[in-house]
Amino acid sequence: MGTLADVYTVGRTAELTGVPRETLRKWEQRYSVVAPARTEGNYRLYDDEAVRRLTVMRDLVDSGWSPREAAKRVLAEPTGTVSVLPDADSPLSQLDELAACGEDFDVVRLESLLDKAFAEGDLAVAVDEWLMPSLVRLGEAWQRGTVSVAGEHFVSAAVLRRLSQAFHQLPHPEDGCPRVMVGLARGSRHELGVMAFSMVLRSRGVQVTYLGADLPVESWVDTVRALEPAAVVLAVPTVEDLPAVREAVQAIAPRARVLLGGAHQGRVEGAEPLGHRIGEAAADLADRLVARG
Ligand code: B12
């Protein structure tokens, strides 16, 4: 993150989330999913975190949840993850620790926190129950101003290092295993979700060709042609990523199956949404591909 987040009017928020204005007001008044600030003229102003929450809420409602249940889920854990955690002493139950490291720049504490979380057994559980909710808290701390831009970069860089290390250390899947290409569209830099997804996918016996952030559409197409993967996975972490992801999906879909993750995954036609739980989605895709292969 660089500068402070933008704010949006109710009309713009309706456009960004695909939720009609009336419904936005209802979700605020009945379920308190968001608490928009007001202008002097009493117009509502929504911030980026509100847009993200409303988008996750809309996805849950679209997939059959009642608004009441969806709101409870979004409020319990803003990522839409379930907050049933192992036990109080486990690092997995300490969701504010990661953000706290962004305040004191203590690299020893940060790296040992990451090591402990990933040593707790199932990688998919560590990602869904701890890493992703902790990253949301980090974003909120940045928005409140308790974590600086440098603090947020310090933490997210360490997370990327740790995920990359875990990925690297996993055994290579055998020849003939299904191959999946994973990365982000042009201009898109929120890499931690796709990297975590790649790590879990590889741990389940899939050959992952990880292409990283900010890949131009022409490179996606050329590489899909050359490698003929069983599937291609991208993410839509912010609303600003939508045009580039839509362009990439249109170009790739005639050649390969495209699947999407990230908060705004439900807003792209021609691709299959993977849901909001990275570990579960990766394990599920691996099962589907390995069973077929
Ligand atoms: C770390 C971080 C960064 C780092 C990223 C480092 C890296 N190497 O990845 C850096 C510093 C680069 C960064 C930059 C920016 N950031 Co930033 N960032 C974050 C932060 C704190 C965590 C991001 C993250 O990894 N989230 C992962 C999960 C937690 O997020 P998610 O997208 O909601 O996804 C959920 C699911 O869909 C699923 N999921 C995610 N990915 C995938 C992938 C697959 C395959 C699957 C199945 C599921 C899945 O997991 C999540 C949990 O359920 C978030 C806070 C937040 N709430 O996310 C802000 C946040 C995403 N950033 C934000 C902003 C505004 C920016 C900047 C525009 C700031 C600026 N002015 O420069 C730039 C844009 C960069 C760009 N061009 O893309 C906003 C985005 C709001 C919006 N517009 O939609 C957020 C939400 C902060 C906020 N609360 O306002 N950022």
Side-chain angles (χ1 to χ4, degrees), residues 8 16-17 48 51 55 236-243 264 267:
Y8 311 101
L16 293 173
T17 58
D48 281 327
V51 169
T55 306
V236 201
T238 73
V239 273
E240 288 79 11
D241 296 320
L242 276 166
H264 305 274
R267 305 192 49 206

Side-chain angles (χ1 to χ4, degrees), residues 1-6 8 16 47-52 56 59 78-81 127-128 131-140 142-143 149 152-153 155-157 159-160 182 184 186-195 197-198 213 233-241 259-265 273-282:
M1 289 173 285
T3 55
L4 274 180
D6 295 323
Y8 311 101
L16 293 173
D47 63 13
D48 281 327
E49 183 57 27
V51 169
R52 202 191 63 78
V56 172
D59 263 11
T79 58
T81 58
V127 168
D128 286 342
L131 183 61
M132 291 301 135
S134 297
L135 284 170
V136 172
R137 306 263 174 123
L138 176 68
E140 288 169 353
W142 166 74
Q143 273 199 316
V149 173
E152 186 276 324
H153 282 218
V155 172
S156 57
V159 172
L160 190 60
V182 186
L184 295 175
R186 190 197 310 268
S188 185
R189 289 182 44 223
H190 290 97
E191 206 182 332
L192 303 177
V194 282
M195 184 69 229
F197 181 86
S198 300
V233 175
L234 289 93
V236 201
T238 73
V239 273
E240 288 79 11
D241 296 320
L259 303 126
L260 292 183
H264 305 274
Q265 59 186 269
L274 281 163
H276 295 282
R277 289 174 62 81
I278 292 182
E280 264 178 34

Side-chain angles (χ1 to χ4, degrees), residues 57-102:
M57 167 112 176
R58 200 219 52 191
D59 263 11
L60 293 172
V61 170
D62 283 354
S63 58
W65 290 58
S66 72
R68 184 167 305 281
E69 287 305 312
K72 264 198 218 154
R73 181 87 169 244
V74 170
L75 288 172
E77 202 44 81
T79 58
T81 58
V82 189
S83 49
V84 184
L85 294 169
D87 67 69
D89 295 334
S90 161
L92 299 192
S93 65
Q94 292 157 17
L95 301 182
D96 287 313
E97 285 293 293
L98 196 67
C101 293

Side-chain angles (χ1 to χ4, degrees), residues 69-292:
E69 287 305 312
K72 264 198 218 154
R73 181 87 169 244
V74 170
L75 288 172
E77 202 44 81
T79 58
T81 58
V82 189
S83 49
V84 184
L85 294 169
D87 67 69
D89 295 334
S90 161
L92 299 192
S93 65
Q94 292 157 17
L95 301 182
D96 287 313
E97 285 293 293
L98 196 67
C101 293
E103 290 180 48
D104 62 16
F105 293 93
D106 183 342
V107 73
V108 176
R109 176 180 173 204
L110 174 57
E111 290 182 349
S112 76
L113 177 68
L114 290 166
D115 282 341
K116 275 194 219 134
F118 285 109
E120 289 265 315
D122 195 327
L123 288 175
V125 173
V127 168
D128 286 342
E129 304 295 351
W130 181 75
L131 183 61
M132 291 301 135
S134 297
L135 284 170
V136 172
R137 306 263 174 123
L138 176 68
E140 288 169 353
W142 166 74
Q143 273 199 316
R144 282 197 307 273
T146 49
V147 168
S148 65
V149 173
E152 186 276 324
H153 282 218
F154 168 73
V155 172
S156 57
V159 172
L160 190 60
R161 287 199 301 277
R162 190 62 186 79
L163 292 172
S164 309
Q165 182 196 15
F167 180 94
H168 188 99
Q169 283 172 347
L170 287 165
H172 288 283
E174 286 159 27
D175 281 348
C177 286
R179 182 203 291 272
V180 174
M181 275 169 55
V182 186
L184 295 175
R186 190 197 310 268
S188 185
R189 289 182 44 223
H190 290 97
E191 206 182 332
L192 303 177
V194 282
M195 184 69 229
F197 181 86
S198 300
M199 175 191 70
V200 179
L201 198 59
R202 178 158 159 178
S203 76
R204 307 280 165 139
V206 173
Q207 279 189 69
V208 178
T209 303
Y210 184 67
L211 302 174
D214 190 16
L215 190 68
V217 64
E218 305 75 26
S219 307
W220 275 108
V221 172
D222 290 347
T223 319
V224 167
R225 244 191 231 126
L227 301 183
E228 298 183 346
V232 174
V233 175
L234 289 93
V236 201
T238 73
V239 273
E240 288 79 11
D241 296 320
L242 276 166
V245 175
R246 287 185 177 132
E247 187 194 14
V249 168
Q250 255 190 354
I252 301 166
R255 298 173 178 85
R257 180 175 170 202
V258 192
L259 303 126
L260 292 183
H264 305 274
Q265 59 186 269
R267 305 192 49 206
V268 179
E269 278 181 27
E272 213 179 297
L274 281 163
H276 295 282
R277 289 174 62 81
I278 292 182
E280 264 178 34
D284 191 58
L285 179 63
D287 287 349
R288 285 189 275 158
L289 293 175
V290 172
R292 210 189 305 148

